[in-house]
Amino acid sequence: MNSLKNRILLTIVGLSTALIAFAHPFYVSITSIDYNAKNKRIEISCRLFYDDLEVALKNQTGQKIDVINPKNKAVADSAISRYIQHNLKLAINNQNKNLKFVGYEIEEDVAWCYLEVQNINAVNKIEIVNQLLYQDFKSQSNIMHLKVNNMKKSTKLDNPKRTATFSF
């Protein structure tokens, strides 16, 4: 009889733990940085949950910006561009670079944001400051994947860690 009670209790505890795990949100972004040697540019894509991005934009601008169906696409583009450029910084070969916002698109529950850095002749070192969504979500993690000259490297930054350096 005690064995049956213990199994029932363990089942209830297990189900409760599973429900809590599913109810607890996780905060993660993925940034891919690829060096396109042929076109001499760094191509960047940031994958953010669009609802998290909307929270960050509201906190930054003080206004609600609907990224799925924006009232004014130019306003949404400008706000997203400013937000990402403020929270994602690159230095290539010890030189700070300005990121050019190319645009964004929505795919299911994710906003894909695209940026680039032009006129890059070679990449030996990339220093990154990535604090996307850190101000708004204390448990935010930012995963980064880099590809330079067929070499792939990855790392994960957990808030508050913001910087990573890669050598190629």
Side-chain angles (χ1 to χ4, degrees), residues 2-168:
N2 276 343
S3 173
L4 179 60
K5 285 182 183 178
N6 286 340
R7 284 192 297 199
I8 291 172
L9 182 60
L10 286 174
T11 301
I12 291 171
V13 169
L15 288 173
S16 298
T17 303
L19 288 174
I20 290 169
F22 284 117
H24 181 73
F26 64 96
Y27 300 100
V28 66
S29 78
I30 299 174
T31 299
S32 296
I33 300 171
D34 297 326
Y35 176 54
N36 182 328
K38 179 181 176 185
N39 294 320
K40 296 184 178 183
R41 72 176 171 230
I42 299 285
E43 300 168 342
I44 304 163
S45 65
C46 298
R47 182 179 176 184
L48 309 161
F49 287 107
Y50 77 83
D51 56 338
D52 295 346
L53 178 59
E54 288 178 339
V55 167
L57 294 173
K58 183 172 195 258
N59 291 339
Q60 178 187 354
T61 66
Q63 58 184 336
K64 182 178 180 347
I65 297 174
D66 182 345
V67 299
I68 295 176
N69 299 303
K71 292 177 186 174
N72 184 329
K73 180 82 163 108
V75 169
D77 283 344
S78 178
I80 293 169
S81 175
R82 280 193 314 276
Y83 177 78
I84 292 177
Q85 290 176 9
H86 180 76
N87 290 288
L88 181 67
K89 308 279 186 190
L90 289 184
I92 311 293
N93 304 330
N94 298 316
Q95 293 183 345
N96 292 331
K97 298 296 181 181
N98 292 321
L99 305 179
K100 178 185 173 195
F101 184 73
V102 177
Y104 79 95
E105 61 185 349
I106 301 296
E107 181 181 283
E108 296 179 12
D109 57 351
V110 172
W112 285 90
C113 304
Y114 305 104
L115 302 102
E116 66 183 16
V117 179
Q118 298 180 351
N119 301 316
I120 305 295
N121 292 320
V123 176
N124 300 311
K125 181 180 173 183
I126 299 179
E127 298 166 272
I128 304 166
V129 175
N130 185 343
Q131 57 188 16
L132 293 168
L133 303 172
Y134 276 12
Q135 188 174 353
D136 305 289
F137 303 103
K138 298 304 176 202
S139 61
Q140 178 70 32
S141 293
N142 293 329
I143 298 169
M144 295 183 294
H145 301 296
L146 288 82
K147 184 177 176 188
V148 174
N149 302 327
N150 295 318
M151 290 179 59
K152 295 179 181 181
K153 298 188 178 190
S154 296
T155 195
K156 180 173 75 102
L157 300 175
D158 296 319
N159 195 355
K161 187 174 179 194
R162 293 164 159 60
T163 60
T165 302
F166 300 88
S167 296
F168 296 93

